[in-house]
Amino acid sequence: MEPPTQHQPSVDTSDMTTHDLIPAPALRELNGRSDRAGWSQTLGHGALILASGWVWGHGAFPWVVRLPALLLLGWGLAFAFCAMHECGHRTAFASRAVNDAVAWWAGVLSFYNADFYRRYHQWHHRYTNQPGLDPELEDAPPTSRAGYLLQLSGLPWWTGKLRGHWRGLRGEFSANPYIPADAAPSVRSSLWKQAAVYGVVLGLSVPGGNGFLLWFWLLPLALGQPLLRFVLLAEHGGCSNSGDGLANTRTTHTLAPLRWLMWNMPYHVEHHLFASVPFHALATAHQHIAPRLVHNAPGYLAVHRRFLADPSVLALPA
């Protein structure tokens, strides 16, 4: 099922090269895959999860050490979403199979399903921030301070994910036009495999009475969600609802550790305009297009101060 055609799709990479935002030779260089960069980022992210999980679970450490480790574990798990996202674009590694495998397991860690998300995200790129077309707007953004705080808590995300996974396990994709009929069986199978992984971990947790699933996944993931919601809301919140890729997305400058944890996704306009450019080259892409950006924010706090001052800027057009 194709969406209506009266809406202008978001500007894609070919349009941007036509407009000379990035010269063709430079873009070809930026598009180069790097297994070294991909594995370095993946292994580093994995090491953060393992190291912080080890400290959190080690009773010999004082709470003043264990609690920050718990928060770091939560951020590592929640931001595995960014690993899934990048590998879902199949740009992190040269091999499609490696991209797909890393994306799937990163989705398991972050409670997303990579096979469902890949198709969902394709439509998000094609119809970025356009109501009625962009699946990210299926749930309207908050327009009040109470709604804003609720979204940052992650509670709506949890309930939405539980409902969505349950429908997917039953093969109900009628509300998801980005999942065509021929793809539905494979997406459903992927969701069942993911559920089986959770079942195995639960099965291993119960006999031992160690509550591994709760203490090392559910609790930290819940604690990590607010920061992930915080940065994701800034990607398109308060931006244009047009098909102009320079105006419907925001690039946000931030500290290097957060940029690393996000796989460079704060360079979000760059990613949307040139989705074929791998995460490690987005900073260079930013140098090419920075003067043309409509939303080039100095930091996430600056963006959210605006949201808090007037939450109505997040409202969709009537």
Side-chain angles (χ1 to χ4, degrees), residues 7-24:
H7 292 256
Q8 178 190 0
S10 295
V11 181
D12 62 20
T13 301
S14 62
D15 289 326
M16 288 299 96
T17 55
T18 299
H19 288 85
D20 293 325
L21 283 177
I22 299 180

Side-chain angles (χ1 to χ4, degrees), residues 148 152 226-235 250 252 297 299-311 314:
Y148 165 88
L152 291 192
L227 181 59
L228 181 60
R229 298 301 112 200
F230 184 81
V231 298
L232 293 184
L233 186 59
E235 290 180 346
R250 176 181 290 107
T252 307
Y300 285 104
L301 291 178
V303 174
H304 282 270
R305 277 196 294 267
R306 180 187 174 213
F307 294 164
L308 276 170
D310 182 12
L314 295 167

Side-chain angles (χ1 to χ4, degrees), residues 13-263:
T13 301
S14 62
D15 289 326
M16 288 299 96
T17 55
T18 299
H19 288 85
D20 293 325
L21 283 177
I22 299 180
L27 184 59
R28 282 195 296 272
E29 184 174 349
L30 290 174
N31 279 337
R33 307 290 188 265
S34 171
D35 284 338
R36 180 178 180 179
W39 281 119
S40 175
Q41 182 74 21
T42 300
L43 294 175
H45 199 133
L48 171 66
I49 293 172
L50 292 174
S52 57
W54 180 78
V55 174
W56 160 239
H58 204 293
F61 288 110
W63 284 103
V64 71
V65 174
R66 293 180 66 197
L67 289 178
L70 171 61
L71 190 57
L72 284 174
L73 173 59
W75 289 342
L77 291 171
F79 282 82
F81 161 80
C82 296
M84 180 201 67
H85 165 268
E86 177 69 19
C87 294
H89 278 281
R90 296 177 173 138
T91 51
F93 301 94
S95 165
R96 173 172 175 157
V98 173
N99 278 307
D100 288 354
V102 173
W104 195 84
W105 283 105
V108 169
L109 292 175
S110 57
F111 201 42
Y112 284 82
N113 178 264
D115 294 297
F116 178 94
Y117 181 80
R118 182 179 295 112
R119 292 166 174 84
Y120 165 101
H121 194 63
Q122 286 172 347
W123 273 40
H124 167 62
H125 268 262
R126 186 176 181 183
Y127 299 105
T128 304
N129 219 33
Q130 297 181 55
L133 293 173
D134 185 350
E136 285 199 359
L137 298 179
E138 289 172 352
D139 297 316
T143 56
S144 66
R145 288 188 179 90
Y148 165 88
L149 293 174
L150 179 62
Q151 179 155 330
L152 291 192
S153 74
L155 289 174
W157 175 84
W158 279 105
T159 57
K161 275 285 167 283
L162 288 169
R163 287 196 301 266
H165 287 339
W166 177 242
R167 287 195 301 265
L169 288 171
R170 293 183 295 171
E172 295 181 6
F173 299 110
S174 58
N176 312 118
Y178 38 85
I179 306 294
D182 60 347
S186 65
V187 173
R188 185 185 186 191
S189 174
S190 179
L191 281 160
W192 272 107
K193 291 174 184 175
Q194 185 168 345
V197 171
Y198 297 145
V200 168
V201 176
L202 176 61
L204 294 174
S205 299
V206 173
N210 55 24
F212 184 88
L213 190 65
L214 171 63
W215 297 112
F216 289 89
W217 187 64
L218 287 173
L219 174 62
L221 183 58
L223 292 176
Q225 278 303 313
L227 181 59
L228 181 60
R229 298 301 112 200
F230 184 81
V231 298
L232 293 184
L233 186 59
E235 290 180 346
H236 306 284
C239 296
S240 168
N241 297 112
S242 73
D244 182 358
L246 286 167
N248 60 25
T249 304
R250 176 181 290 107
T251 281
T252 307
H253 298 270
T254 189
L255 299 174
L258 181 56
R259 197 166 57 245
W260 175 83
L261 188 64
M262 293 179 64
W263 290 57

